[in-house]
């Protein structure tokens, strides 16, 4: 890392995110207030991209610049801006745990793309940076999905309204709500998201399509009206993705039942899992987290939980 050199260096951070929000597979995601990845980046002319990784999960992340999400996303910005001959030096401090379902590669991709755009003097518009960040996701799991990188870049809740051309609609952060995330310690392979995508059905019955559309409508209208009950009803109704992925999550339906009966507005899988989340009234998160943890303990499954807010802020320069 060139922190001691005279080159300009920028330090940015990007948040963890919850993708899908139940029925919105690949098209909606929410930024969380914590944890965040930090990327320090500078540009050189020595023809070699280099990345260093620090933090609790540094061993789990590839240092190969061709595979590292932050570098791949940053390089996509360089190429798109016509500056592909420059090389990247990056240092990543991982705050978002990899393979947990909290958008770890999305946070690194967003921070990687944004940091390079800042270093170049912001030549790319927001949606162009988003497309570059999606390349980081492609490097991480083989699919350039946008529902983690978009909220990691823009904060709040982001709906991806079109892929080609990429278009987003951003909602302000939802207030007066807590989000409890519980992560069971389960055996996860390196290609977790890739596998969690491969197991999904290629075709869906018409009646499932109808229910899923209805659920997603409830989620969006709930968001627009600031109605957490309607939003939660939408979140809790995923008849296509959840039934398949829930099989990989111990006690999923027991946790869901318990969360809803305890007064949570909605409950679903966070991204590709194995984390799950509940949207709930303020001051409920801590107690619900403990209860859900005890359900997993009863099954001999260790877990951790955390209580969050929806962050209004996405990626940002930090000092
Ligand atoms: N929409 C993606 C999926 C998010 O569910 O596979 C992955 O974090």
């Amino acid at each position: 890392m060139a922190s001691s050199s005279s080159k300009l260096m920028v330090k940015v951070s990007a948040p963890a995110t919850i993708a899908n929000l139940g029925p919105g597979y690949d098209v909606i995601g929410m930024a969380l207030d914590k944890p965040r990845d930090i990327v320090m980046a500078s540009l050189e002319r020595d023809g070699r991209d280099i990345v260093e990784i620090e933090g609790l999960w540094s061993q789990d992340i590839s240092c190969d610049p061709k595979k590292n999400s932050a570098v791949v996303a940053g390089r996509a910005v360089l190429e798109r801006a016509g500056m592909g001959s420059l090389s990247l030096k990056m240092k990543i401090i991982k705050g978002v745990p990899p393979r947990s379902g909290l958008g770890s590669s999305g946070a690194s991709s967003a921070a990687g793309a944004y940091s390079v755009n800042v270093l170049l003097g912001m030549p790319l518009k927001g949606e162009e940076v988003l497309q570059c960040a999606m390349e980081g996701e492609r490097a991480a799991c083989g699919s350039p999905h946008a529902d983690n990188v978009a909220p990691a870049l823009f904060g709040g809740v982001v709906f991806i309204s079109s892929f080609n051309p990429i278009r987003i609609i951003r909602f302000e952060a939802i207030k007066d709500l807590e989000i409890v995330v519980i992560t069971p310690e389960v055996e996860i392979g390196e290609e977790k998201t890739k596998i969690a995508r491969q197991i999904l059905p290629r075709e869906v019955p018409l009646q499932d399509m109808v229910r899923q559309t209805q659920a997603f409508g409830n989620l969006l209208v709930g968001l627009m009206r600031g109605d957490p009950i309607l939003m939660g009803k939408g979140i809790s109704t995923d008849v296509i993705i959840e039934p398949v992925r829930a099989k990989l999550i111990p006690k999923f339906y027991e946790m869901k039942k318990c969360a809803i009966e305890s007064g949570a507005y909605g409950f679903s899988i966070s991204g590709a899992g194995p984390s799950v989340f509940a949207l709930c009234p303020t001051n409920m998160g801590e107690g619900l987290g403990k209860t859900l943890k005890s359900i997993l303990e009863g099954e001999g499954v260790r877990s951790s939980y955390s209580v969050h807010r929806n962050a209004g802020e996405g990626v940002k320069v930090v000092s």
Side-chain angles (χ1 to χ4, degrees):
M1 179 67 194
S3 54
S4 58
S5 83
S6 57
K7 299 274 182 223
L8 187 64
M9 192 270 277
V10 68
K11 184 174 176 184
V12 310
S13 81
T17 48
I18 294 179
N20 302 337
L21 300 181
Y25 179 70
D26 276 1
V27 297
I28 196 164
M30 166 194 284
L32 295 180
D33 53 353
K34 60 180 188 290
R36 298 179 76 97
D37 274 6
I38 294 174
V39 167
M40 289 172 255
S42 60
L43 300 172
E44 306 263 351
R45 293 187 179 276
D46 61 2
R48 272 192 327 140
D49 291 342
I50 295 179
V51 59
E52 273 176 41
I53 304 161
E54 278 183 13
L56 271 181
W57 296 279
S58 54
Q59 305 307 315
D60 296 334
I61 308 292
S62 174
C63 285
D64 176 347
K66 291 204 164 30
K67 294 186 185 154
N68 181 276
S69 303
V71 179
V72 170
R75 176 134 296 285
V77 171
L78 284 180
E79 302 293 341
R80 197 168 179 130
M83 305 297 280
S85 62
L86 295 174
S87 52
L88 278 171
K89 310 296 165 202
M90 278 188 179
K91 179 170 180 173
I92 304 169
I93 303 172
K94 276 308 289 176
V96 185
R99 297 191 279 282
S100 60
L102 291 174
S104 172
S105 54
S108 289
S109 301
Y114 188 76
S115 63
V116 175
N117 202 36
V118 171
L119 284 169
L120 295 178
M122 307 290 262
L124 303 190
K125 294 190 306 238
E127 279 160 350
E128 292 178 291
V129 176
L130 170 59
Q131 269 182 308
C132 295
M134 288 163 70
E135 290 306 313
E137 288 287 46
R138 192 199 298 277
C141 75
S143 94
H145 56 277
D147 51 342
N148 291 113
V149 280
L153 284 169
F154 306 116
V157 176
V158 181
F159 166 51
I160 295 104
S161 68
S162 155
F163 289 125
N164 192 15
I166 190 87
R167 292 285 178 265
I168 59 133
I169 294 169
R170 178 183 178 277
F171 295 86
E172 288 303 324
I174 43 176
K175 293 193 170 64
D176 303 326
L177 288 175
E178 286 179 345
I179 300 131
V180 194
V181 173
I182 179 148
T183 309
E185 285 185 22
V186 289
E187 203 59 48
I188 306 169
E190 238 182 71
E191 301 203 300
K192 185 264 310 182
T193 302
K194 196 172 181 176
I195 292 163
R197 296 176 74 84
Q198 279 169 352
I199 60 174
L200 299 177
R202 301 294 112 185
E203 291 178 358
V204 297
L206 188 62
Q207 69 269 27
D208 286 355
M209 187 279 281
V210 173
R211 285 193 66 197
Q212 197 85 351
T213 309
Q214 211 167 39
F216 191 66
N218 285 334
L219 166 58
L220 276 192
V221 175
L223 257 171
M224 291 167 72
R225 287 189 182 161
D227 176 347
I229 297 175
L230 192 57
M231 206 182 149
K233 190 175 152 81
I235 286 175
S236 300
T237 312
D238 168 6
V239 296
I240 297 171
I241 311 296
E242 185 182 284
V244 182
R245 289 183 171 169
K247 293 183 187 139
L248 308 174
I249 301 171
K251 294 277 168 186
F252 177 82
Y253 289 108
E254 284 87 336
M255 288 194 284
K256 182 169 184 171
K257 183 166 183 282
C258 168
I260 301 297
E261 285 177 358
S262 306
Y265 298 120
F267 183 94
S268 192
I269 301 170
S270 179
S275 294
V276 294
F277 75 100
L279 187 76
C280 53
T282 45
N283 302 322
M284 195 183 142
E286 191 58 39
L288 181 59
K290 277 198 186 104
T291 309
L292 297 179
K293 188 174 163 66
S294 70
I295 291 178
L296 287 168
E297 261 164 21
E299 192 69 3
V301 178
R302 288 167 53 164
S303 65
S304 55
Y305 73 89
S306 45
V307 180
H308 301 261
R309 296 289 182 143
N310 178 200
E313 221 170 23
V315 72
K316 61 179 177 185
V317 175
V318 291
S319 48

